[in-house]
Amino acid sequence: MHLYSVRSYTKLLVKTLRHRYIAIAIVLVLLVSSGSMIPFLGVDMFADEEVPILMVQVRTPVSNNLEATDLIIRQIEAAALSLPREDIINVVATTGFIETRDDAITKTSVGQVVLELVKNTKRKRSIKQIKDELRQKCKNISGIESINFEVPMSGPPVGAPVELKVQGRYFEEMVKVKEVVKNELRQIDGVVDIRDDWEEGKMELKVRVNPEAAYNAGLEPAQIAWTVRQAFEGQVATVFKDADDEVDVVVKMATTQENQLDQLANLKLTNRFGRRVALKDVAEFSLEPGYSKIERFDFERTITISADVDESKITGVEANNILREKLKYIPQSFPGNNLDYRGEFDEFKKSLDNLVQLLLIGVFIIFMILGAQFHSFIQPLIILFTIPFGFIGAVVGLLVINAPFSITAMYAIIALTGIVVNNAIVLIDFTNRYREEERGRWKSIIDAGRIRLRPIFLTSITTVLGLLPMGLGLGGKSPLWAPMASTIIWGLMVSTILTLFIIPALYAIVDDIRLRKVKA
């Protein structure tokens, strides 16, 4: 069997060498075709394991007390408990606390309901189906400002599928832009759970001093601010002793919620001439909502808008592209406000850029080491030609298991870079040795392939067999590790086969070019 295999390989190798230029052209066509297949595979930014948990995060008006928020959370909890029991293990409702992707928030106007689900191997429905049903049940619950149905991720932390930041100087303008963006998102079919991190604070009594009136009345703005502060916070006038304790006597304005504004307006201030001036004569008053918090990104005031997508209708990439097109007019219509697109796709691009840089650095290091080893810079290029072979096999592997291109697959391709070159190194090294023994050009190339056929195949097969259980999902298929294993398995198999035929052909072509130069 071994002799038959070697003879068959030798015959095919001879035919490949005779048509070496056609063989290289075919490989280049395969490489281009593999690259064009990525859009058909789809792109799943960060493939991860399914965590059987569904979190419903709720925000209500900031003025809500704990009791009002709890009434809403109880309705959502009841909706969760009405789901089929074969899908759910437990439901836990919490009022006054939510845990987001980035932070944990504690306040009276928020709450969350966590559903512990049955494992996917024992559950008939997917988390998406359960989430869609619960979303419909919660659709008519009143008093909710925003609601988010989130599935925790076992992979690296990433942003929402759709996420952008509104940045500017004035919150009044930024809030208008925020509403425009959210309205545009609502019109994109498949975009769900639209939310933002903007929260109005509680009502504040604001005093705006009229500089001209204050100057004419003989008052300074700092004096007015100090007097208003003392009226509400008070000032320690004296201290009296109660046994061994010292008690501060604080003097401040006696106010009630009903007449607070009138009392403040009639507050008397003493100007530099010793006259009494009413505060209403030098200032204006208003009750306005304050800021619950001020978020900044890159030192600029920021409101973050995010949304999820129904992947059966649209992907995060498509939604981002549509939104970019729809919001081109924002910088002109709202000068001073910028849109910064972030989220899952942005993080994928950054990760991909970093991986490509690492890949290029790794290839360069391999090239320099091989150059020093072979005392040539042409033969290392022949060896590095095996890296595209691994990419062709990686795409085949993803097609076979119907998995999208992801960061995990990219890791596997980088791992293949260091694996697939080994076989080419051995072939080139043996060919060089045989040529030094003056066996002749063609005999050296064919003998190197024939002699190294068995070791190359055994090395590749042992690696493939070691990864096969993970690739086939024996003991449980993993959406995170199965694509990586399949990518390496198919990448190694395809690259091994192509290396045995194409590397000798490429070696012969380089030799052709060298001989033509010598004759010239």
Side-chain angles (χ1 to χ4, degrees):
M1 182 68 179
H2 172 62
L3 289 174
Y4 176 77
S5 300
V6 172
R7 287 171 184 170
S8 300
Y9 165 70
T10 305
K11 289 178 182 179
L12 288 173
L13 178 58
V14 170
K15 289 181 180 179
T16 303
L17 291 171
R18 285 174 180 167
H19 303 91
R20 51 191 176 278
Y21 292 97
I22 296 174
I24 297 298
I26 291 171
V27 170
L28 292 175
V29 170
L30 286 174
L31 181 60
V32 173
S33 301
S34 299
S36 63
M37 287 301 295
I38 290 178
F40 295 97
L41 287 170
V43 178
D44 185 4
M45 311 300 182
F46 295 95
D48 64 323
E49 301 279 2
E50 179 184 283
V51 179
I53 291 175
L54 175 60
M55 301 175 69
V56 185
Q57 299 166 341
V58 181
R59 295 173 186 265
T60 67
V62 70
S63 58
N64 270 14
N65 56 27
L66 206 59
E67 289 76 14
T69 305
D70 190 55
L71 288 174
I72 296 170
I73 298 301
R74 285 179 182 276
Q75 293 178 64
I76 297 170
E77 181 186 21
L81 290 170
S82 67
L83 293 170
R85 298 303 300 172
E86 59 266 20
D87 293 333
I88 302 172
I89 296 175
N90 192 24
V91 176
V92 178
T94 307
T95 305
F97 173 83
I98 59 173
E99 188 173 1
T100 66
R101 281 187 175 100
D102 304 316
D103 198 8
I105 300 172
T106 304
K107 57 173 63 177
T108 60
S109 59
V110 301
Q112 69 179 16
V113 177
V114 179
L115 289 74
E116 184 183 353
L117 306 177
V118 177
K119 289 184 179 180
N120 62 334
T121 53
K122 300 178 180 179
R123 196 177 62 237
K124 293 181 180 178
R125 299 197 300 170
S126 67
I127 287 185
K128 180 185 176 302
Q129 292 172 318
I130 298 170
K131 183 168 65 173
D132 290 343
E133 182 180 349
L134 185 57
R135 184 183 285 115
Q136 283 299 118
K137 288 178 177 289
C138 298
K139 196 172 183 181
N140 297 321
I141 298 176
S142 60
I144 297 174
E145 277 203 346
S146 70
I147 184 168
N148 178 32
F149 297 82
E150 185 172 321
V151 179
M153 301 180 68
S154 64
V158 296
V162 180
E163 184 178 299
L164 62 90
K165 298 180 183 295
V166 179
Q167 296 183 310
R169 287 190 65 187
Y170 305 106
F171 278 123
E172 292 79 5
E173 288 292 315
M174 292 166 64
V175 170
K176 291 178 184 177
V177 176
K178 169 185 75 82
E179 291 303 322
V180 170
V181 173
K182 291 176 75 173
N183 286 333
E184 294 290 358
L185 280 171
R186 292 186 188 103
Q187 295 174 24
I188 302 175
D189 187 32
V191 175
V192 296
D193 297 345
I194 302 167
R195 55 200 181 274
D196 62 75
D197 64 354
W198 168 254
E199 292 182 10
E200 286 189 345
K202 295 182 178 180
M203 297 302 291
E204 294 179 348
L205 178 56
K206 296 192 175 182
V207 180
R208 292 182 174 86
V209 177
N210 185 327
E212 186 178 350
Y215 176 79
N216 292 333
L219 295 168
E220 296 289 338
Q223 179 189 358
I224 297 171
W226 183 85
T227 304
V228 171
R229 179 176 180 178
Q230 298 305 314
F232 281 89
E233 290 190 1
Q235 182 178 11
V236 178
T238 185
V239 177
F240 78 89
K241 287 190 175 182
D242 182 10
D244 292 332
D245 297 329
E246 290 187 350
V247 180
D248 293 336
V249 178
V250 179
V251 179
K252 64 180 181 179
M253 184 172 65
T255 61
T256 60
Q257 195 67 34
E258 292 76 19
N259 64 354
Q260 191 177 57
L261 196 58
D262 291 337
Q263 286 181 315
L264 184 62
N266 293 315
L267 181 67
K268 301 296 183 181
L269 301 95
T270 303
N271 65 9
R272 59 176 175 267
F273 306 114
R275 300 189 189 131
R276 305 277 283 171
V277 180
L279 183 58
K280 64 183 177 182
D281 295 334
V282 294
E284 295 178 352
F285 312 94
S286 62
L287 279 170
E288 299 176 13
Y291 301 141
S292 174
K293 59 180 179 179
I294 297 178
E295 296 284 353
R296 294 183 184 273
F297 184 80
D298 287 343
F299 304 104
E300 290 190 45
R301 290 184 171 186
T302 302
I303 298 176
T304 302
I305 304 161
S306 52
D308 295 326
V309 295
D310 183 348
E311 293 185 355
S312 63
K313 296 180 180 179
I314 194 171
T315 66
V317 177
E318 292 170 343
N320 274 286
N321 290 336
I322 293 171
L323 191 62
R324 284 174 188 267
E325 191 66 29
K326 284 175 170 284
L327 298 176
K328 280 184 176 179
Y329 67 92
I330 290 294
Q332 290 76 31
S333 301
F334 298 91
N337 292 277
N338 300 314
L339 298 180
D340 185 0
Y341 293 84
R342 296 280 167 171
E344 187 180 271
F345 185 64
D346 180 71
E347 293 181 39
F348 174 77
K349 284 171 61 181
K350 288 180 181 177
S351 299
L352 192 59
D353 290 343
N354 291 335
L355 287 174
V356 170
Q357 290 176 10
L358 292 172
L359 176 62
L360 293 176
I361 292 170
V363 169
F364 177 74
I365 293 172
I366 292 171
F367 177 76
M368 296 304 294
I369 292 172
L370 292 176
Q373 181 68 31
F374 286 97
H375 305 291
S376 165
F377 289 111
I378 300 298
Q379 290 187 350
L381 289 176
I382 298 174
I383 293 168
L384 291 178
F385 200 76
T386 56
I387 294 174
F389 300 166
F391 177 75
I392 294 170
V395 173
V396 172
L398 293 174
L399 284 169
V400 168
I401 65 171
N402 193 27
F405 187 80
S406 65
I407 289 292
T408 307
M410 190 65 186
Y411 287 149
I413 291 170
I414 293 174
L416 277 170
T417 303
I419 299 172
V420 298
V421 297
N422 294 333
N423 296 332
I425 291 171
V426 171
L427 279 178
I428 298 294
D429 183 53
F430 268 72
T431 304
N432 290 340
R433 288 186 189 181
Y434 292 152
R435 294 200 72 175
E436 289 173 2
E437 295 174 4
E438 298 183 354
R439 293 194 185 188
R441 176 190 178 191
W442 299 111
K443 185 170 175 55
S444 297
I445 295 173
I446 293 169
D447 283 352
R450 184 173 54 81
I451 297 299
R452 299 313 301 169
L453 175 65
R454 185 178 180 184
I456 287 173
F457 254 111
L458 287 175
T459 303
S460 299
I461 288 171
T462 52
T463 306
V464 168
L465 291 176
L467 289 168
L468 203 57
M470 187 188 297
L472 295 175
L474 301 179
K477 191 170 184 178
S478 167
L480 182 63
W481 300 112
M484 177 181 281
S486 181
T487 300
I488 295 176
I489 288 170
W490 283 93
L492 188 55
M493 287 195 300
V494 171
S495 67
T496 299
I497 294 169
L498 291 178
T499 296
L500 288 167
F501 294 98
I502 302 302
I503 292 302
L506 196 57
Y507 185 97
I509 289 172
V510 171
D511 215 39
D512 289 344
I513 297 170
R514 184 181 61 81
L515 291 173
R516 284 173 194 163
K517 286 184 177 180
V518 170
K519 289 179 181 179

